[in-house]
Amino acid sequence: MYKAFKMKLYPGMEQEYEKRHNELWQEMKDMIHEYGGSNYSIFLDPETLTLFGTIEIVDEQKWSESADTAINRKWWDFMKDVMETNPDNSPVSKDLNLVFHLD
Protein backbone atom coordinates (compact mmCIF):
# COMPACT_ATOMS: atom_id res chain seq x y z
CA MET A 1 0.00 0.00 0.00
CA TYR A 2 1.29 3.43 -0.92
CA LYS A 3 0.82 6.62 1.07
CA ALA A 4 1.51 10.10 -0.23
CA PHE A 5 1.30 13.36 1.65
CA LYS A 6 2.41 16.97 1.57
CA MET A 7 3.99 19.22 4.19
CA LYS A 8 5.45 22.72 4.16
CA LEU A 9 8.90 24.13 4.96
CA TYR A 10 9.59 27.53 6.46
CA PRO A 11 11.41 29.92 4.10
CA GLY A 12 15.17 29.46 4.04
CA MET A 13 15.07 25.99 5.64
CA GLU A 14 15.53 23.90 2.49
CA GLN A 15 19.19 23.02 3.11
CA GLU A 16 18.70 22.38 6.82
CA TYR A 17 15.75 20.07 6.14
CA GLU A 18 17.78 18.10 3.61
CA LYS A 19 20.82 17.98 5.93
CA ARG A 20 18.78 16.58 8.81
CA HIS A 21 17.29 13.89 6.61
CA ASN A 22 20.68 12.99 5.15
CA GLU A 23 21.77 12.44 8.76
CA LEU A 24 18.57 10.58 9.76
CA TRP A 25 19.04 8.87 13.11
CA GLN A 26 19.43 5.11 12.98
CA GLU A 27 16.66 4.80 15.59
CA MET A 28 14.27 6.57 13.20
CA LYS A 29 15.24 4.30 10.32
CA ASP A 30 14.69 1.26 12.53
CA MET A 31 11.31 2.54 13.74
CA ILE A 32 10.10 3.24 10.18
CA HIS A 33 10.96 -0.31 9.15
CA GLU A 34 9.59 -1.82 12.38
CA TYR A 35 6.21 -0.20 11.74
CA GLY A 36 6.05 -1.43 8.15
CA GLY A 37 7.43 1.53 6.19
CA SER A 38 9.77 1.19 3.20
CA ASN A 39 10.71 2.97 -0.01
CA TYR A 40 10.26 6.33 1.73
CA SER A 41 11.00 9.43 -0.36
CA ILE A 42 10.41 13.14 0.16
CA PHE A 43 10.52 15.65 -2.70
CA LEU A 44 10.66 19.45 -2.48
CA ASP A 45 8.97 22.01 -4.72
CA PRO A 46 11.37 24.94 -4.19
CA GLU A 47 8.92 27.48 -5.59
CA THR A 48 6.26 26.77 -2.95
CA LEU A 49 8.40 25.08 -0.25
CA THR A 50 5.94 22.20 -0.38
CA LEU A 51 7.31 18.77 0.52
CA PHE A 52 5.78 15.70 -1.15
CA GLY A 53 6.33 12.41 0.65
CA THR A 54 5.70 8.87 -0.52
CA ILE A 55 6.05 5.69 1.47
CA GLU A 56 5.06 2.07 1.11
CA ILE A 57 3.40 0.66 4.22
CA VAL A 58 2.26 -2.81 5.14
CA ASP A 59 -0.74 -1.82 7.26
CA GLU A 60 -2.39 1.57 7.86
CA GLN A 61 -3.18 0.84 11.52
CA LYS A 62 0.34 -0.31 12.33
CA TRP A 63 1.83 2.70 10.54
CA SER A 64 -0.41 5.11 12.45
CA GLU A 65 0.90 3.65 15.72
CA SER A 66 4.41 4.82 14.82
CA ALA A 67 3.36 8.41 15.57
CA ASP A 68 3.20 7.59 19.27
CA THR A 69 6.72 6.19 19.57
CA ALA A 70 9.24 8.08 21.68
CA ILE A 71 11.72 8.33 18.81
CA ASN A 72 9.09 9.76 16.47
CA ARG A 73 8.08 12.37 19.06
CA LYS A 74 11.75 13.27 19.51
CA TRP A 75 12.10 13.68 15.70
CA TRP A 76 9.05 15.95 15.56
CA ASP A 77 10.52 18.12 18.32
CA PHE A 78 13.82 18.26 16.41
CA MET A 79 12.12 19.30 13.16
CA LYS A 80 9.63 21.89 14.48
CA ASP A 81 11.90 24.85 13.73
CA VAL A 82 12.18 24.11 9.99
CA MET A 83 8.60 23.30 9.00
CA GLU A 84 4.96 24.02 9.75
CA THR A 85 3.83 21.97 12.75
CA ASN A 86 0.76 21.31 14.86
CA PRO A 87 0.63 22.12 18.61
CA ASP A 88 2.07 18.64 19.40
CA ASN A 89 5.01 19.36 17.00
CA SER A 90 3.77 16.86 14.44
CA PRO A 91 4.16 18.19 10.89
CA VAL A 92 1.14 19.82 9.35
CA SER A 93 0.48 17.10 6.78
CA LYS A 94 -2.22 16.46 4.23
CA ASP A 95 -2.71 13.02 2.70
CA LEU A 96 -2.83 12.92 -1.09
CA ASN A 97 -5.13 10.67 -3.11
CA LEU A 98 -3.66 8.18 -5.55
CA VAL A 99 -4.99 8.85 -9.04
CA PHE A 100 -2.52 6.81 -11.11
CA HIS A 101 0.08 4.10 -10.57
CA LEU A 102 2.17 2.06 -12.99
CA ASP A 103 4.58 -0.73 -12.00
Side-chain angles (χ1 to χ4, degrees):
M1 163 188 284
Y2 291 96
K3 285 188 69 69
F5 52 92
K6 66 179 181 173
M7 303 174 290
K8 183 93 173 200
L9 283 182
Y10 290 135
M13 292 296 167
E14 301 91 333
Q15 289 180 340
E16 183 62 23
Y17 184 88
E18 185 173 357
K19 176 184 180 289
R20 291 181 189 187
H21 281 80
N22 287 337
E23 299 170 352
L24 187 63
W25 308 328
Q26 186 61 49
E27 298 92 347
M28 272 300 287
K29 293 177 187 178
D30 293 344
M31 182 279 294
I32 290 166
H33 292 136
E34 179 182 341
Y35 283 82
S38 62
N39 293 319
Y40 193 178
S41 297
I42 302 172
F43 302 87
L44 172 65
D45 176 354
E47 293 177 6
T48 65
L49 298 181
T50 301
L51 299 160
F52 297 91
T54 62
I55 188 168
E56 285 186 60
I57 60 170
V58 174
D59 176 81
E60 183 71 40
Q61 177 62 36
K62 184 171 179 81
W63 178 250
S64 69
E65 293 170 6
S66 71
D68 291 326
T69 62
I71 192 63
N72 195 61
R73 296 291 176 161
K74 183 178 176 181
W75 181 257
W76 287 352
D77 293 345
F78 179 58
M79 296 300 292
K80 71 181 177 185
D81 63 325
V82 300
M83 63 191 307
E84 293 181 1
T85 58
N86 296 302
D88 67 354
N89 292 336
S90 64
V92 172
S93 179
K94 173 131 175 69
D95 285 344
L96 301 172
N97 296 325
L98 178 65
V99 295
F100 177 77
H101 175 78
L102 175 69
D103 278 328

